[in-house]
Amino acid sequence: MGLLGKGRHDSNIKGHISEAAITTRLLQAGYVVLTPYGGSQRYDLVIEDADGQFWRIQCKSAWIDEDGTVLKFDTANHNVTGTKRDWRHYRGQCEYFALYSAELDKVYLVPVDEVGTTRAHLRLTPPKNKNQYGYRMASDYEL
């Protein structure tokens, strides 16, 4: 008798998978990983580095764009009240985004202050126009 999962993953399950993959990779990289109690904080994890400094981490699921050159992720969440949708960014509430790409099975650590306040992307390949400025390579942020 084999065990089978329930099939498709909803956004909550995808988030749990991303957070588990991120936690595993941070532990493999030698960080101490702490989880806040209660779930009402604007960060998902706290890591302690080799110098004993603590950093708040917001975990995000990333996806590859349609042409396969860019890894995208949201840098805010939706605050929905009635028919109004407001974006709430994370600046000042955590120091890093930890991204998990299920398609690549990779984790990236991106400083919150280096990206925009609603959505961001990391390049998987250099731009075709040979532009040398204004983009971030995913490989520079990979854990």
Side-chain angles (χ1 to χ4, degrees):
M1 175 173 141
L3 296 176
L4 297 175
K6 292 186 177 184
R8 288 181 39 101
H9 296 155
D10 66 20
S11 61
N12 284 334
I13 296 299
K14 286 179 184 176
H16 294 314
I17 291 168
S18 291
E19 193 169 322
I22 289 165
T23 299
T24 300
R25 184 65 193 108
L26 288 166
L27 289 168
Q28 290 170 336
Y31 290 99
V32 172
V33 179
L34 306 152
T35 56
Y37 180 78
S40 60
Q41 294 77 16
R42 294 283 289 155
Y43 51 91
D44 297 312
L45 305 170
V46 175
I47 58 172
E48 182 182 4
D49 66 18
D51 297 326
Q53 187 143 6
F54 293 93
W55 305 96
R56 297 170 294 181
I57 307 292
Q58 175 61 39
C59 297
K60 293 289 181 182
S61 299
W63 65 95
I64 298 174
D65 72 343
E66 50 281 346
D67 66 3
T69 62
V70 174
L71 191 63
K72 295 182 176 183
F73 63 101
D74 289 333
T75 61
N77 71 341
H78 294 289
N79 185 18
V80 179
T81 53
T83 59
K84 186 179 178 190
R85 290 191 122 183
D86 291 327
W87 285 92
R88 291 177 45 210
H89 64 77
Y90 292 93
R91 294 242 168 111
Q93 298 171 336
C94 60
E95 288 75 41
Y96 289 93
F97 290 113
L99 317 173
Y100 174 66
S101 168
E103 296 146 305
L104 301 173
D105 193 29
K106 292 185 178 184
V107 173
Y108 304 88
L109 199 57
V110 180
V112 169
D113 291 337
E114 287 188 15
V115 294
T117 58
T118 54
R119 184 164 286 166
H121 60 273
L122 303 175
R123 300 266 337 164
L124 296 170
T125 61
K128 290 180 181 176
N129 66 4
K130 310 239 190 277
N131 179 9
Q132 299 300 309
Y133 305 101
Y135 66 91
R136 294 177 236 17
M137 289 299 297
S139 58
D140 292 339
Y141 298 92
E142 187 178 340
L143 275 180

